[in-house]
Amino acid sequence: MADVVQFRFERMVDELDDLERRGIFPRREISEIVKQRRKFEYRLKRRSPLKEEFLAYVEYETQLDALCRLRKKSVARCETENDENGATTTKKRSRKSISDFAGVKRIVQIYSLAVTRFKGDVELWFKYLEFCRQRKIGRMKKILAQVIRFHPKVPGVWIYAAAWEFDHNLNVTGARALMQNGLRVCPNSEDLWVEYLRMELTYLNKLKARKVALGEDEGTLVRDRRVSDQKHWISENKDLFMSLDEGMGNVDGSNVENLEPEKKLDLFREQGLRVLQTIYSGAIEALPSSFILRQRFFEILDGTDLAQSEDMREELLSDMKRDFSKDPEYWDWLAKLDMTDSSSKHEMSEDTKLSQMQNAVQVYEEALKIVPSAMMFNRYTKFLMDIIDPQVGENKDLEPSGHIEHYITHLLTVYEKAESIGCLTEDIACKYISLYLQLGRLNEARKLAEKLCSGKLSDSVQLWLLRASIEVRDVTRNSPSPSKADMLFLFDLLRKILTKASISEAESLWLMALKLFVNKKQYFEKLVDISLISVAKDGGGENGFSLPSAIINFVLQKDGIQHARDMYKRFLALPRPGLALYRNCIELELNLASVGNKDCLANARKLFEAALATYDQNTSLWQDYYSIETKVNYAPHYFKQEQTIYLTLLCKYLDLTNLCVGCCNFDLETTRI
């Protein structure tokens, strides 16, 4: 291994001498470069080098090469200034030397070693290709052939190779051949079919642009929305046009179509249509069940100006309806199809927007007749909610409609229909109730929640939580001090839910119940009993919400530290109280110890010991324990106890953090690190 590394360094001598001779790097920096390269080379010659080590070497050489190029420019600029200020003004042409190519060559060698060892890493191959493309190294064709040989089933490899041939080499024939070979190997790739179509249409558009530049044609294959909208408006409003010829008596607008000169048959638009039809037929034959592929083809057709594009558009929509009429995603896309044109939505009138929304509603209503499913209702209600309040829904680009009341009523009707045919899921039911709450109709929301909780959705925890919050809001709204009957009703309802739901699911409800009954001793004790059972069943929570800590904080604020200690002892006696509870109790005792209470310090130590008995592999807990002990000032008669604690904590901490005792300055006399 050392011989190979030494041989490589001997081959770097000429390069390093050239860098020093040209004044780019001084000898001190060259020594540092040699040191770093030796470290990387020995890492790569190990039995099993890691991919990250190759990439780290590449990153170092890339930064070094960038610095070298900056230094060369600086040196060249200084030489130019000296020539201008000197007596001689003859400027010699700078010649390339070995150091100008050595950096890129070494990076290519490192990448070559890396991909040879990690042939299956496609990401590494693409990094290699991108480096060669950016530096314009004449190895792209060879590397692409290797990638295709090792990864023929990766569609991105074929797309990258075809794009390089098309954009860099301007070789349309080669790019087309690569795409077709890729489709033979990966016929089920949506991206390959779409990119093949884009490439062919782009090529036709370039040919047409060349015709336009030569003055032989006009326009492009890219659809201009403004022109198409203008033509559509003219065709619908022919009666608004009047001839300027006074001798003509008719004003029926029959000559509007003659305002534009007749154009010759556009062969490029015809050819583009044939290309799209051919690729589309092959794609749906290979992927007949892919709705996303049809959608992407439709978007490409909608963005290009081809011959008979309207007929092709209708054909695509007809095929999609035939094959995906049972798919809610298709109906959702179809309903929003006319509303996705963001280029002119701000220029549309209110009547046009209203017409589009009504058409979308009709599509959704037709979909409910064909696909009466919960998913279809979910998408329908989301669409209506976006219209009512776009900031709440998913489509924030929609503008609020002026007929909000109509759509609110319609949305409630849709929810009722979903309930009547049995398509009301937990999510839809919660949104149903939340709509009443947003409208300020609390009584109707409460009745609906009670009805749904006693029906098919009686096992829904989220629905019960929503109902409980509504009941609490209703009781507290009617009276600032609820009656005993109301409190008993709320407690029975909360107990039914809290015993059913897990602690993580009912976090907000637990906090609501504790706040509501904190001054009701009888009910609060019953809540504590319920919490003990829940913590024993679900655990106290390691990282999230800690119910015992919340209860202890309530008890501390209400009854003081002694009652809080009694409470946390009850929870710590459970099998899995949770690390969060230990930390909360330790923080509580240390806060009291900071004001001079020595008993609290002893309690904190006991809590640390109890926590470490269960979580002895938690490094941060050992660190916290040790940092606290180092801050405490002990009395002289506690010296032996202090020394024992330090030694125990130090050994355990070093064992967990994989540190060496010899690396620390440990003094047994002062027991300090």
Side-chain angles (χ1 to χ4, degrees):
M1 180 172 68
D3 295 340
V4 175
V5 174
Q6 184 63 29
F7 174 73
R8 290 182 179 177
F9 273 95
E10 289 177 358
R11 298 181 64 181
M12 299 180 192
V13 173
D14 295 338
E15 169 202 348
L16 298 175
D17 288 343
D18 185 59
L19 291 173
E20 184 179 8
R21 183 176 60 256
R22 296 171 62 182
I24 297 174
F25 289 115
R27 180 171 292 274
R28 177 179 56 82
E29 292 183 352
I30 291 177
S31 300
E32 183 64 25
I33 292 172
V34 172
K35 179 180 177 181
Q36 292 295 327
R37 284 180 176 174
R38 180 177 285 108
K39 180 175 66 174
F40 283 116
E41 290 288 345
Y42 274 108
R43 286 180 180 177
L44 298 188
K45 293 304 296 180
R46 293 189 304 177
R47 184 183 298 271
S48 299
L50 302 176
K51 183 183 75 170
E52 289 74 15
E53 294 171 346
F54 286 96
L55 295 179
Y57 197 2
V58 168
E59 180 66 21
Y60 173 76
E61 289 294 339
T62 302
Q63 294 180 0
L64 182 63
D65 184 63
L67 178 62
C68 184
R69 284 188 278 116
L70 289 175
R71 294 276 183 92
K72 288 174 184 176
K73 291 180 181 179
S74 178
V75 170
R77 185 166 56 251
C78 293
E79 291 177 353
T80 303
E81 292 177 356
N82 292 334
D83 291 342
E84 290 177 355
N85 296 330
T88 305
T89 59
T90 304
K91 184 178 179 180
K92 296 182 180 180
R93 183 179 180 182
S94 60
R95 298 179 59 185
K96 298 288 185 181
S97 61
I98 185 173
S99 61
D100 294 316
F101 310 100
V104 175
K105 184 178 179 182
R106 184 171 296 103
I107 295 173
V108 170
Q109 291 175 350
I110 298 169
Y111 268 124
S112 180
L113 291 173
V115 297
T116 302
R117 184 168 186 83
F118 303 98
K119 297 182 179 66
D121 196 323
V122 181
E123 182 182 358
L124 186 61
W125 280 104
F126 276 119
K127 287 183 179 180
Y128 189 13
L129 289 169
E130 277 298 299
F131 175 79
C132 294
R133 185 185 64 81
Q134 292 174 1
R135 295 301 181 92
K136 298 181 180 180
I137 301 173
R139 297 168 59 99
M140 284 290 293
K141 185 167 290 189
K142 179 181 178 181
I143 300 172
L144 283 171
Q146 292 177 341
V147 179
I148 291 173
R149 188 176 71 228
F150 288 122
H151 301 281
K153 295 292 185 180
V154 180
V157 172
W158 297 100
I159 295 173
Y160 190 96
W164 184 76
E165 286 287 351
F166 186 83
D167 297 330
H168 184 268
N169 288 345
L170 304 178
N171 185 2
V172 180
T173 305
R176 183 181 292 117
L178 284 169
M179 278 292 190
Q180 291 174 354
N181 289 333
L183 288 173
R184 293 189 189 100
V185 179
C186 310
N188 296 327
S189 172
E190 297 177 2
D191 293 333
L192 263 177
W193 286 106
V194 172
E195 293 304 323
Y196 183 34
L197 177 60
R198 290 186 191 278
M199 185 190 74
E200 293 289 356
L201 293 179
T202 302
Y203 176 59
L204 287 176
N205 202 32
K206 285 185 176 181
L207 293 179
K208 188 172 178 62
R210 186 173 66 179
K211 285 279 187 179
V212 173
L214 295 174
E216 300 176 4
D217 207 341
E218 60 182 15
T220 63
L221 295 182
V222 180
R223 185 184 296 275
D224 191 344
R225 296 287 182 186
R226 293 173 297 179
V227 174
S228 61
D229 292 343
Q230 183 179 6
K231 291 181 180 179
H232 180 68
W233 184 85
I234 291 175
S235 63
E236 290 183 347
N237 299 273
K238 291 182 178 181
D239 55 337
L240 299 180
F241 290 86
M242 182 173 61
S243 176
L244 297 178
D245 189 355
E246 296 180 356
M248 296 182 63
N250 61 340
V251 290
D252 58 352
S254 59
N255 60 342
V256 174
E257 296 179 357
N258 298 325
L259 292 177
E260 295 182 357
E262 294 185 1
K263 298 180 181 178
K264 297 180 180 180
L265 181 63
D266 195 338
L267 298 179
F268 291 105
R269 296 173 70 238
E270 293 285 348
Q271 181 66 20
L273 179 64
R274 288 194 293 268
V275 167
L276 191 145
Q277 289 174 337
T278 304
I279 299 177
Y280 171 73
S281 60
I284 62 174
E285 182 180 356
L287 295 166
S289 60
S290 176
F291 171 71
I292 301 297
L293 179 63
R294 310 279 186 96
Q295 183 179 348
R296 294 172 71 178
F297 267 92
F298 188 88
E299 291 173 356
I300 294 175
L301 174 63
D302 208 33
T304 52
D305 186 16
L306 304 178
Q308 302 176 2
S309 59
E310 291 299 325
D311 296 337
M312 188 65 189
R313 189 176 190 267
E314 294 299 326
E315 180 182 349
L316 261 67
L317 289 175
S318 176
D319 292 345
M320 293 170 74
K321 187 173 183 179
R322 179 195 63 205
D323 297 334
F324 303 102
S325 59
K326 299 295 183 181
D327 188 358
E329 186 179 359
Y330 159 73
W331 291 104
D332 186 58
W333 170 80
L334 183 63
K336 299 176 182 177
L337 181 61
D338 294 334
M339 306 176 67
T340 55
D341 185 12
S342 59
S343 61
S344 59
K345 68 176 184 178
H346 296 293
E347 302 174 2
M348 290 189 301
S349 63
E350 188 67 25
D351 294 337
T352 305
K353 295 178 182 178
L354 183 60
S355 176
Q356 289 183 352
M357 292 178 185
Q358 290 175 350
N359 292 336
V361 169
Q362 291 177 2
V363 173
Y364 278 115
E365 291 293 337
E366 181 184 357
L368 289 180
K369 296 177 182 178
I370 301 175
V371 194
S373 63
M375 185 179 295
M376 194 70 252
F377 275 103
N378 192 22
R379 293 181 180 272
Y380 191 8
T381 53
K382 280 183 179 179
F383 172 77
L384 293 174
M385 197 64 204
D386 290 345
I387 296 176
I388 296 170
D389 190 357
Q391 299 303 319
V392 176
E394 293 182 348
N395 299 326
K396 295 181 173 54
D397 294 334
L398 289 176
E399 295 183 2
S401 173
H403 300 73
I404 299 298
E405 293 295 332
H406 168 72
Y407 288 109
I408 290 175
T409 305
H410 188 70
L411 178 57
L412 292 174
T413 305
V414 174
Y415 279 129
E416 292 174 0
K417 186 175 181 180
E419 182 184 0
S420 63
I421 65 176
C423 293
L424 200 65
T425 61
E426 179 183 7
D427 183 46
I428 298 177
C430 291
K431 292 179 180 178
Y432 189 7
I433 299 172
S434 300
L435 178 60
Y436 277 119
L437 294 177
Q438 293 178 16
L439 298 175
R441 297 155 68 171
L442 186 60
N443 290 331
E444 296 181 25
R446 183 174 60 81
K447 293 178 181 179
L448 178 61
E450 183 179 358
K451 174 185 174 183
L452 295 177
C453 287
S454 59
K456 292 176 58 178
L457 301 174
S458 58
D459 295 332
S460 173
V461 175
Q462 294 299 324
L463 203 57
W464 277 101
L465 295 177
L466 187 58
R467 181 191 172 188
S469 63
I470 293 173
E471 295 289 355
V472 171
R473 188 188 307 181
D474 184 58
V475 170
T476 55
R477 182 193 64 170
N478 295 331
S479 175
S481 56
S483 62
K484 292 183 179 181
D486 291 337
M487 297 298 287
L488 179 61
F489 168 74
L490 290 178
F491 181 79
D492 290 338
L493 180 62
L494 292 172
R495 178 174 57 184
K496 184 184 299 184
I497 305 169
L498 295 176
T499 54
K500 180 186 299 186
S502 63
I503 295 176
S504 59
E505 291 177 328
E507 174 184 350
S508 59
L509 197 61
W510 271 109
L511 295 175
M512 181 192 304
L514 292 173
K515 184 177 180 181
L516 185 63
F517 297 108
V518 66
N519 295 319
K520 307 292 182 180
K521 185 176 181 181
Q522 178 183 0
Y523 294 122
F524 191 82
E525 287 295 332
K526 292 181 179 179
L527 280 177
V528 172
D529 294 337
I530 297 173
S531 67
L532 289 169
I533 298 174
S534 299
V535 172
K537 181 176 65 175
D538 301 329
E542 299 297 335
N543 300 316
F545 172 64
S546 175
L547 177 59
S549 300
I551 294 176
I552 292 168
N553 291 334
F554 274 101
V555 173
L556 178 65
Q557 295 176 7
K558 185 184 68 168
D559 300 325
I561 181 59
Q562 190 57 44
H563 288 82
R565 284 196 185 108
D566 296 338
M567 185 60 67
Y568 76 62
K569 288 178 181 178
R570 294 175 64 183
F571 282 106
L572 291 176
L574 297 175
R576 295 176 299 166
L579 182 59
L581 175 61
Y582 279 111
R583 289 189 178 277
N584 186 70
C585 297
I586 290 170
E587 183 180 1
L588 175 64
E589 297 291 353
L590 290 177
N591 289 336
L592 294 174
S594 62
V595 296
N597 193 331
K598 296 181 179 180
D599 295 335
C600 295
L601 180 60
N603 292 333
R605 283 203 184 103
K606 293 178 181 178
L607 289 169
F608 266 118
E609 295 294 337
L612 290 171
T614 306
Y615 305 97
D616 58 338
Q617 297 300 315
N618 192 302
T619 308
S620 63
L621 190 62
W622 283 102
Q623 291 174 341
D624 294 340
Y625 192 10
Y626 183 79
S627 64
I628 290 169
E629 291 292 342
T630 56
K631 296 176 183 178
V632 176
N633 295 320
Y634 293 93
H637 60 279
Y638 285 129
F639 179 76
K640 292 185 178 180
Q641 178 185 0
E642 176 191 5
Q643 189 179 44
T644 304
I645 292 174
Y646 275 125
L647 285 172
T648 304
L649 294 176
L650 175 66
C651 294
K652 187 62 179 178
Y653 172 70
L654 294 178
D655 179 61
L656 289 175
T657 54
N658 297 321
L659 295 177
C660 177
V661 178
C663 297
C664 302
N665 297 322
F666 184 68
D667 188 357
L668 290 177
E669 295 297 328
T670 59
T671 63
R672 294 289 189 270
I673 295 180

